[in-house]
Amino acid sequence: MKQYVMATALLCYAAPAYAAYPLTTDDTGTQGAGGWQIELHTEFSTSSRTDGGVRIKDREDDATTVISYGVAKRMDVIVTLPYQWYQHRQGQLVTDDESGIGDMTVELKWRFLENEKSGLSLAVKPGISLPTGDADRGLGTGRVTGGAVLIATKEFGALTLHANAGYHRNAYALDADDAACNKDIWNASLAGEYAFSEKLRAVADIGLETATEKGSRTHPAFLIGGLTYSITKDFDFDFGIKGGLNDAEPDTAVLLGLAARFN
């Protein structure tokens, strides 16, 4: 039976993670001192199953704004604010239907190692999540949480690989959430980009993280494939398809995004 149901999605809220869309895996790139980047992301995901002859469908959508500012050549401050929609439907009956602002994240990305000869660079990205979402409606944890991600990027000509390993410590304001949800969330992922030209890149991403609900032995795993098209050197359009590799992830999701950079 499909374990990813809307009740669980609303109960065990996890802080969102976003990178160079449509990838979830982040890269070591920064904006440079005084540089800005504004990203707009959308994700439309669905899961469905049949239980006792009743068709059950879960839908989770979000629209996210990400603002990055280069405080130094190798250091960015990143602010992320999601707006989320959740719906759980059993046949024609909607049993859960929520929408609203989620928890805002504030992160600092620092590229502490860069070897141009080998094409290898390393960065660390610590951050906190602020309780701007309504915990009573499943849109946030209700408390300040925090974590960090270690990022590696390696260039091989037209091919670039990225690897992430991260940890997030959740805290919950509601007793029901605290009893049902894991506090320690680990994640690991690997992504690749292949440049067909200066304007067009193909991207792929695979990752795994700790299940948010206590007692679950199925940890969410995903696979993403997509394209990034640079309309200009400072304006990108992104498209991707995300598939769940097990029952803890939504079946499919469509990813769309825009990114604009300026000084």
Side-chain angles (χ1 to χ4, degrees), residues 140-146 168-174 178 182-183:
T141 65
R143 290 188 175 175
V144 175
T145 67
H168 195 90
R169 172 71 176 182
N170 277 337
Y172 298 96
L174 302 181
D178 190 64
N182 286 322
K183 298 181 178 65

Side-chain angles (χ1 to χ4, degrees), residues 170-218:
N170 277 337
Y172 298 96
L174 302 181
D175 291 339
D177 293 359
D178 190 64
C181 303
N182 286 322
K183 298 181 178 65
D184 301 306
I185 306 297
W186 297 87
N187 64 79
S189 60
L190 178 66
E193 302 180 59
Y194 186 83
F196 292 109
S197 66
E198 291 185 357
K199 291 182 173 292
L200 182 63
R201 301 193 310 275
V203 300
D205 201 349
I206 188 170
L208 175 75
E209 73 172 15
T210 307
T212 53
E213 61 273 21
K214 286 182 179 178
S216 175
R217 296 183 179 181
T218 305

Side-chain angles (χ1 to χ4, degrees), residues 101-244:
I101 292 173
D103 285 352
M104 180 173 70
T105 61
V106 181
E107 299 167 298
L108 182 71
K109 184 199 285 190
W110 173 40
R111 188 171 66 256
F112 61 88
L113 175 67
E114 184 173 29
N115 188 315
E116 294 184 2
K117 183 177 180 179
S118 68
L120 176 66
S121 55
L122 299 175
V124 63
K125 188 171 72 170
I128 60 172
S129 179
L130 304 176
T132 53
D134 189 337
D136 291 321
R137 296 165 58 204
L139 299 170
T141 65
R143 290 188 175 175
V144 175
T145 67
V149 180
L150 180 63
I151 307 166
T153 293
K154 172 69 173 172
E155 298 179 358
F156 301 90
L159 175 65
T160 303
L161 298 179
H162 313 291
N164 287 184
Y167 168 77
H168 195 90
R169 172 71 176 182
N170 277 337
Y172 298 96
L174 302 181
D175 291 339
D177 293 359
D178 190 64
C181 303
N182 286 322
K183 298 181 178 65
D184 301 306
I185 306 297
W186 297 87
N187 64 79
S189 60
L190 178 66
E193 302 180 59
Y194 186 83
F196 292 109
S197 66
E198 291 185 357
K199 291 182 173 292
L200 182 63
R201 301 193 310 275
V203 300
D205 201 349
I206 188 170
L208 175 75
E209 73 172 15
T210 307
T212 53
E213 61 273 21
K214 286 182 179 178
S216 175
R217 296 183 179 181
T218 305
H219 302 292
F222 67 87
L223 179 66
I224 296 173
L227 295 170
T228 296
Y229 181 74
S230 298
I231 300 172
T232 70
K233 67 181 182 66
D234 293 321
F235 190 81
D236 299 336
F237 172 75
D238 313 298
F239 168 78
I241 298 292
K242 182 179 181 182

Side-chain angles (χ1 to χ4, degrees), residues 66-124:
V66 183
I67 300 175
S68 304
Y69 175 70
V71 296
K73 180 180 179 181
R74 298 185 180 184
M75 186 177 293
D76 284 356
V77 172
I78 305 162
V79 178
T80 303
L81 184 64
Y83 191 94
Q84 301 168 305
W85 296 265
Y86 299 101
Q87 187 181 87
H88 179 68
R89 182 186 294 271
Q90 297 184 9
Q92 298 302 313
L93 179 64
V94 176
T95 60
D96 286 296
D97 193 353
E98 295 288 355
S99 64
I101 292 173
D103 285 352
M104 180 173 70
T105 61
V106 181
E107 299 167 298
L108 182 71
K109 184 199 285 190
W110 173 40
R111 188 171 66 256
F112 61 88
L113 175 67
E114 184 173 29
N115 188 315
E116 294 184 2
K117 183 177 180 179
S118 68
L120 176 66
S121 55
L122 299 175
V124 63

Side-chain angles (χ1 to χ4, degrees), residues 9-60:
L10 289 171
L11 184 66
C12 296
Y13 179 89
Y18 297 97
Y21 217 64
L23 299 177
T24 295
T25 303
D26 206 350
D27 58 65
T28 60
T30 54
Q31 304 307 313
W36 291 86
Q37 179 174 264
I38 297 177
E39 299 172 86
L40 301 176
H41 305 161
T42 58
E43 180 173 340
F44 308 96
S45 65
T46 59
S47 294
S48 62
R49 68 188 188 277
T50 300
D51 187 7
V54 178
R55 187 69 169 174
I56 298 175
K57 185 175 182 179
D58 296 324
R59 191 189 76 196
E60 181 181 354

